[in-house]
Amino acid sequence: MIASSNAVSVGGRAKDRFACRRMLFRCVGILLALTLPALGTATPLTTRLLNDDWQFRLAPGDGAAATHPEAARWQHATVPGTVQTDLMAARLVDDPFYRDNEARIQWVGLSDWVYRTTFQVDPAELSRQHVELVLDGLDTYADVYLNGSKLLAADNMFRRWQVPVKSLLRVGKNTLEVRLYSPIKRLQPWLLKQPYALPGEFDSAFGDEPKGKQTANYIRKANYQYGWDWGPRIVTEGIWQDVHLDSWDALRVADFHVEQSQVDKQVAHVSARIEVEVDASQPLNISMDVLGPDGETAAHIAREVTVDPGSHQVSLPLRIADPRLWYPAGYGAQDMYTFKLTLRDAAGVLYGAERAVGLRSIELRRQPDRWGRSFEFVVNGIPVFAKGANLIPFDSFPSRDAGLRMHDVLASARDANMNMLRVWGGGYYLPDRFYELADRFGIMIWQDFMFGGAIPPNDTAYVDNTRQEAIEQVKRLRHHPSIVLWCGNNEVQTGWESWPDRAAFQQTLSGAQRDRIVTGMVNLFGHVLRDVVTRYDGDVPYWAGTPGTDYDGPANVPDDGDMHYWDVWSGQARPATEYLNITPRFQSEYGLQSFPVMRTIRAFAAPEDMQAESPVMRAHQKYDGGNGNQRLRLYIERSFGEPRDFPAFVYLSQVMQAQGIALAAEHLRASRPQSMGSLYWQINDVWPGASWSSIDYYGRWKALQFHARRFYAPLLVAALRHDGNTTVSLVSDRLAAFDGHWRVQLMDFSGKVLDEHKRVVNLPALSSTQVASYTDAQLLHGADPHGVFAVFELADGDGVQSRNLVFFDEAKNLKLPSPHIRTQLEPSVDGYRLTLATDTLARDVWVSFGNLDVEMSDNAFDILPGQSVTVSVISKAPLDEVVRALQVQNLAGVMQGQ
């Protein structure tokens, strides 16, 4: 029980001035560990990492020792890590990302392994009242032994494992051993005995599992590691997160969370909830100081409580007047408050911790309207059009998630005017650092639970395991203001309802068997996970699955909920103009493939591999078992004809992808408020190869990422031509009205203006306004459609805010001239300044610098006849070297016959 005295709450007005840069970085969402050293004489909870001095080898008796004898001997291991990365470091396997080496690493995930380390314990540590071994992440089936005694059997990659070990520790040397078991080898014999195998995702290309008998469904492990249509099959094992000893005496704070019950511009009512574990009854003073973004006190509360042995929840209600709220990028500042918790007893401070919190309200608004039922995110009362992409894992090996890579992808999202990323459900829950960066950059996070589309089992043990996983992950991440949605799964419901393999599977079942599977899915995603979110993060909406209607009806429909639209690219491979024929309420997946730039290709392929259908290029193309390059060629040839060589094929794949996704995104934005979200598939890669990404594995922007910065800009002129008609809409994501003008010019490829008109416009805030519709004849005025184009611009006193070009036929049918592009590269304050000028129209200009490391402020753009474009270039290379490496491509220069 807890006895408390009167509490005092004081509201404070946050200062109006913006916080200084130092204060912003101090408050960017970082949780200072709950194990901060105490400020008084009491001994705090202490955490000691046990990540050093690990070794690994094949498990004794594993059959792989016959062909890999060196792996059966003790080798140095890195923790956190995986068996595969440790073998690469020991030079016992080749890099699976190079050429077709993926096949040569499959044996690793089919074998069992042992990891061990020794560590010292001194009398002082052993004298603590509590000592706990904590393993933050084991991948996945693992038995853990301490000094020969078995501590636990792990079976979930996404859970944290904690075991009291004081009675098993010794003063001096202690031995910790982790035995890892191949998930395929463990599950496959069992699965083959079952009356049926639940439908999964992608069959193995390497014959280690029978077709249609996938074990990935039955284990709580990252699905993508079993192979996906954009990444390799590398079934990892290992100690993939930190290992540590936690020790403490009479008191531990197990959790500290700030619940936001009511937040608006006038007042924020919040409650700091603290979970305290104590061994004996004792009086405590618990105080909370809240510092605003400017560092000044915004609120304070103190409470005297008496706690009895056990675990107890203490709630401290606070009122913050005139709060400075956290907003998504483009809608306001990402202000954060610092909540400082202090626990004292009669002797002094027992515990102190800080948590950075962004105050905001989140609503997933679903209201009946003339198009069906809305699906829009409302942040602090503002309906936000979600602009962004889907995020897959950063690497095939989770332990290789470098902070720099996460930073660069999130910064790239922000720089491309995105405000949302969806963390896709076939990977793993990302580390704290990712969400801290999202908080700082104002990137809203749609967070899937880790279900990638396979039909899950419904036995009690599996559901209970998943429930505990969800509790741990929600409690870990719930303080991040960037998380605006918890979503139960990716494509489970829509797969069951509409995918051919699921339909065929259902035909083999009895009615009772089908009902049992459906009941299990609805229970897991409609109730179990929803209940976890409601209980532990009730400030944030829950959505049962994507695409879906939250089980209000069928999944993947255009008039309710969110939609994944794949009729373009997949299925019948419809042309990109089909994007204009459907307007979902929120389009959470759609995409087109491309290859990465040649520099990235050269990193994984040899010169003899530089053909689209070479074995290595097929190995790095995971769509349709390597046949995706034929699909790519189909889309390229529709618009551009046959590429003249492999580099042209690569270049045209990026042009095709960028133009197609731009068409879809602009259509969705122009359809506001009928549509309120555009998340294309996908922003990043897990390895180098062909995929739907806009940023490749090495962080290099494709053409699509540069286009995204333009089609997601706050102001947009969307000129959408379809079936001989062009509709013009002006879109504004600004919070205030926009006064300016829009203009259309008909121009030939040499730059002669054949027709022009301009109109003044006042755009309301947060709106899309259709301002014109033209037939081709109305725009052309008799001009040759193969020799002219229309230029649409939205401008104000600060210049052109948005520009779009409309052509009247596919590029391969146009009379595109070969432009003479002049370049001038000169030093600037922060690097170099590159100016490109052209005599005639230069379409889809792409600037590259060979193997030099270069960053450009813009790329993948059109240059109008007689005009120039200047971009900044950042490189450590000297000017003469950058000049020699400079290469400029344009559309006319790479198409066959041009």
Side-chain angles (χ1 to χ4, degrees):
M1 64 174 292
I2 301 176
S4 65
S5 65
N6 292 332
V8 179
S9 176
V10 180
R13 179 183 295 271
K15 299 296 183 182
D16 291 333
R17 65 180 184 275
F18 285 102
C20 67
R21 185 177 181 85
R22 174 180 58 82
M23 182 60 64
L24 176 62
F25 276 83
R26 186 173 72 84
C27 301
V28 294
I30 301 172
L31 166 63
L32 298 182
L34 299 180
T35 58
L36 284 181
L39 305 178
T41 59
T43 307
L45 183 148
T46 302
T47 292
R48 179 157 70 99
L49 283 176
L50 300 179
N51 290 348
D52 296 332
D53 302 321
W54 283 87
Q55 296 176 305
F56 80 109
R57 70 174 187 185
L58 277 166
D62 193 284
T67 51
H68 303 278
E70 288 298 317
R73 302 184 182 97
W74 288 111
Q75 306 285 342
H76 172 74
T78 298
V79 171
T82 67
V83 175
Q84 286 87 346
T85 50
D86 284 334
L87 288 168
M88 282 189 275
R91 299 183 182 277
L92 298 182
V93 296
D94 294 327
D95 180 359
F97 289 4
Y98 185 66
R99 302 196 77 202
D100 54 1
N101 285 344
E102 176 193 355
R104 298 177 179 86
I105 205 170
Q106 297 304 310
W107 67 274
V108 180
L110 296 170
S111 303
D112 299 335
W113 300 85
V114 180
Y115 277 67
R116 74 178 184 187
T117 189
T118 60
F119 59 95
Q120 298 291 317
V121 173
D122 60 28
E125 188 170 27
L126 199 55
S127 70
R128 304 296 295 274
Q129 294 179 32
H130 301 273
V131 184
E132 194 169 80
L133 176 69
V134 184
L135 301 106
D136 288 335
L138 293 172
D139 181 11
T140 294
Y141 287 127
D143 292 337
V144 181
Y145 291 79
L146 178 62
N147 294 328
S149 296
K150 185 175 179 179
L151 298 178
L152 63 92
D155 60 354
N156 190 323
M157 180 179 179
F158 310 125
R159 285 181 57 184
R160 190 185 205 208
W161 304 95
Q162 302 168 258
V163 187
V165 293
K166 179 179 171 70
S167 63
L168 295 175
L169 289 172
R170 308 163 181 158
V171 173
K173 180 180 176 181
N174 292 262
T175 300
L176 180 61
E177 181 179 279
V178 178
R179 302 176 188 176
L180 298 158
Y181 305 98
S182 163
I184 298 171
K185 192 163 65 174
R186 170 168 285 196
L187 285 171
Q188 192 174 92
W190 169 84
L191 179 59
L192 294 178
K193 296 176 183 177
Q194 303 308 303
Y196 56 79
L198 292 167
E201 287 296 337
F202 297 93
D203 286 319
S204 173
F206 303 102
D208 52 332
E209 291 189 300
K211 300 292 185 183
K213 302 287 187 179
Q214 298 169 22
T215 57
N217 306 44
Y218 300 90
I219 182 174
R220 295 306 298 142
K221 175 175 170 58
N223 291 164
Y224 80 104
Q225 295 176 334
Y226 291 81
W228 220 265
D229 55 5
W230 36 254
R233 181 180 177 92
I234 303 177
V235 182
T236 59
E237 300 173 53
I239 305 170
W240 77 287
Q241 297 203 59
D242 288 334
V243 181
H244 47 100
L245 274 183
D246 289 357
S247 56
W248 69 98
D249 290 319
L251 177 146
R252 174 171 72 166
V253 174
D255 190 41
F256 165 26
H257 170 58
V258 178
E259 182 179 282
Q260 304 182 35
S261 56
Q262 177 190 342
V263 175
D264 56 39
K265 292 181 180 180
Q266 287 71 45
V267 65
H269 290 283
V270 303
S271 295
R273 300 190 181 276
I274 304 102
E275 182 180 349
V276 184
E277 297 174 356
V278 295
D279 292 343
S281 298
Q282 63 182 114
L284 294 174
N285 176 276
I286 303 179
S287 66
M288 180 72 64
D289 290 287
V290 182
L291 304 182
D294 54 8
E296 298 198 9
T297 299
H300 168 79
I301 189 172
R303 174 165 289 178
E304 301 288 340
V305 300
T306 297
V307 290
D308 291 330
S311 178
H312 303 282
Q313 298 280 344
V314 180
S315 179
L316 302 178
L318 295 121
R319 179 183 187 275
I320 301 173
D322 301 320
R324 288 168 54 171
L325 305 183
W326 182 96
Y327 287 92
Y331 290 82
Q334 288 73 56
D335 284 327
M336 306 288 287
Y337 284 75
T338 303
F339 286 70
K340 302 180 70 172
L341 171 66
T342 305
L343 274 67
R344 298 177 177 86
D345 64 7
V349 174
L350 292 172
Y351 174 85
E354 295 182 7
R355 188 181 290 284
V357 175
L359 301 177
R360 85 296 185 245
S361 65
I362 300 293
E363 176 191 355
L364 179 57
R365 185 171 292 170
R366 299 178 68 210
Q367 295 178 336
D369 59 22
R370 60 192 174 104
W371 301 291
R373 192 176 184 186
S374 65
F375 186 104
E376 62 182 342
F377 290 92
V378 181
V379 184
N380 301 328
I382 301 172
V384 175
F385 188 100
K387 302 181 295 188
N390 289 266
L391 183 93
I392 63 173
F394 291 94
D395 201 292
S396 292
F397 307 104
S399 55
R400 294 205 308 203
D401 271 357
L404 181 60
R405 186 179 301 174
M406 286 188 290
H407 175 279
D408 287 350
V409 169
L410 280 162
S412 293
R414 175 202 60 194
D415 293 345
N417 294 303
M418 296 183 185
N419 58 32
M420 177 176 278
L421 291 174
R422 171 183 165 229
V423 178
W424 169 74
Y428 50 88
Y429 305 94
L430 294 167
D432 294 339
R433 179 63 175 158
F434 172 83
Y435 302 93
E436 293 161 6
L437 290 166
D439 294 343
R440 181 200 303 180
F441 292 145
I443 304 297
M444 296 183 293
I445 299 299
W446 169 318
Q447 178 66 55
D448 283 3
F449 286 98
M450 292 302 116
F451 292 89
I455 305 302
N458 59 7
D459 59 276
T460 301
Y462 183 91
V463 172
D464 288 346
N465 197 359
T466 302
R467 179 188 291 107
Q468 184 58 35
E469 162 199 323
I471 290 170
E472 292 178 15
Q473 295 297 340
V474 171
K475 290 176 71 173
R476 177 175 71 92
L477 298 174
R478 60 186 173 180
H479 65 280
H480 291 287
S482 53
I483 295 179
V484 299
L485 185 72
W486 291 97
C487 180
N489 69 80
N490 172 72
E491 296 184 342
V492 173
Q493 182 187 0
T494 190
W496 181 258
E497 293 176 348
S498 61
W499 293 359
D501 69 318
R502 271 61 167 165
F505 169 71
Q506 292 178 49
Q507 293 300 312
T508 69
L509 303 176
S510 67
Q513 289 173 321
R514 284 195 300 272
D515 290 345
R516 187 160 54 248
I517 292 172
V518 172
T519 299
M521 289 189 292
V522 174
N523 177 59
L524 180 59
F525 302 121
H527 301 294
V528 173
L529 296 179
R530 188 188 307 275
D531 291 347
V532 169
V533 173
T534 300
R535 178 177 178 183
Y536 294 101
D537 195 19
D539 309 333
V540 176
Y542 175 81
W543 190 245
T546 177
T549 57
D550 208 31
Y551 285 123
D552 285 344
N556 213 32
V557 294
D559 61 347
D560 190 7
D562 70 309
M563 188 173 190
H564 296 184
Y565 184 70
W566 284 105
D567 285 359
V568 177
W569 180 266
S570 295
Q572 301 177 18
R574 294 178 177 176
T577 50
E578 283 295 317
Y579 285 133
L580 303 179
N581 291 331
I582 191 164
T583 308
R585 307 314 310 264
F586 192 108
Q587 194 153 304
S588 48
E589 279 192 23
Y590 63 100
L592 288 163
Q593 267 203 3
S594 70
F595 262 83
V597 296
M598 288 301 300
R599 185 181 179 192
T600 293
I601 295 172
R602 288 192 292 268
F604 70 77
E608 61 267 29
D609 303 324
M610 300 299 173
Q611 302 175 48
E613 292 301 316
S614 72
V616 168
M617 290 304 159
R618 287 181 61 87
H620 284 255
Q621 165 60 271
K622 294 302 180 182
Y623 178 76
D624 191 21
N627 295 321
N629 291 340
Q630 298 173 24
R631 181 63 54 91
L632 261 178
R633 182 175 289 275
L634 170 67
Y635 274 89
I636 290 170
E637 291 184 355
R638 276 179 180 167
S639 295
F640 309 111
E642 184 179 351
R644 61 177 53 184
D645 54 23
F646 181 68
F649 172 83
V650 169
Y651 163 88
L652 289 172
S653 75
Q654 291 202 18
V655 173
M656 177 276 297
Q657 178 195 40
Q659 291 182 357
I661 299 305
L663 186 69
E666 291 174 5
H667 163 63
L668 294 169
R669 293 191 65 195
S671 301
R672 177 180 184 148
Q674 181 179 355
S675 179
M676 285 298 290
S678 162
L679 304 180
Y680 66 76
W681 186 271
Q682 65 210 58
I683 192 172
N684 64 317
D685 273 331
V686 299
W687 82 323
S691 80
W692 293 264
S693 74
S694 57
I695 303 172
D696 74 23
Y697 175 74
Y698 296 108
R700 297 169 185 139
W701 285 26
K702 297 180 180 179
L704 173 55
Q705 189 70 17
F706 288 102
H707 277 247
R709 181 155 54 195
R710 296 188 277 272
F711 63 64
Y712 281 154
L715 294 169
L716 172 71
V717 54
L720 304 172
R721 181 179 179 271
H722 189 38
D723 294 335
N725 294 278
T726 299
T727 301
V728 185
S729 298
L730 306 180
V731 182
S732 174
D733 287 341
R734 292 187 175 181
L735 296 172
F738 170 81
D739 293 315
H741 66 271
W742 71 275
R743 178 178 72 171
V744 57
Q745 293 179 308
L746 184 69
M747 188 180 296
D748 68 18
F749 294 152
S750 68
K752 182 179 179 181
V753 176
L754 306 178
D755 186 59
E756 176 179 3
H757 60 264
K758 182 169 101 173
R759 293 193 177 93
V760 174
V761 67
N762 175 267
L763 294 182
L766 305 174
S767 69
S768 174
T769 305
Q770 183 176 323
V771 293
S773 181
Y774 303 95
T775 64
D776 283 353
Q778 289 172 323
L779 283 174
L780 287 167
H781 295 288
D784 178 5
H786 299 101
V788 298
F789 62 106
V791 183
F792 292 86
E793 293 177 336
L794 177 62
D796 62 5
D798 295 326
V800 175
Q801 299 294 328
S802 177
R803 173 185 289 156
N804 251 315
L805 308 186
V806 168
F807 296 88
F808 298 93
D809 205 341
E810 298 287 4
K812 63 184 180 182
N813 299 323
L814 300 179
K815 301 173 183 177
L816 287 176
S818 295
H820 175 60
I821 300 176
R822 304 177 303 279
T823 62
Q824 182 178 358
L825 188 68
E826 55 189 355
S828 65
V829 175
D830 55 355
Y832 305 106
R833 184 170 54 250
L834 174 64
T835 300
L836 304 98
T838 181
D839 52 348
T840 60
L841 175 67
R843 284 191 66 182
D844 300 291
V845 173
W846 181 260
V847 180
S848 58
F849 293 89
N851 289 326
L852 290 184
D853 290 324
V854 173
E855 293 184 18
M856 296 182 57
S857 62
D858 202 5
N859 209 342
F861 45 73
D862 301 317
I863 308 178
L864 297 182
Q867 297 189 17
S868 64
V869 172
T870 299
V871 297
S872 64
V873 176
I874 299 175
S875 177
K876 294 181 180 179
L879 177 61
D880 59 342
E881 191 174 341
V882 177
V883 170
R884 286 196 302 272
L886 174 63
Q887 302 171 44
V888 180
Q889 294 173 283
N890 71 89
L891 187 58
V894 299
M895 290 194 304
Q896 194 82 278
Q898 290 290 327

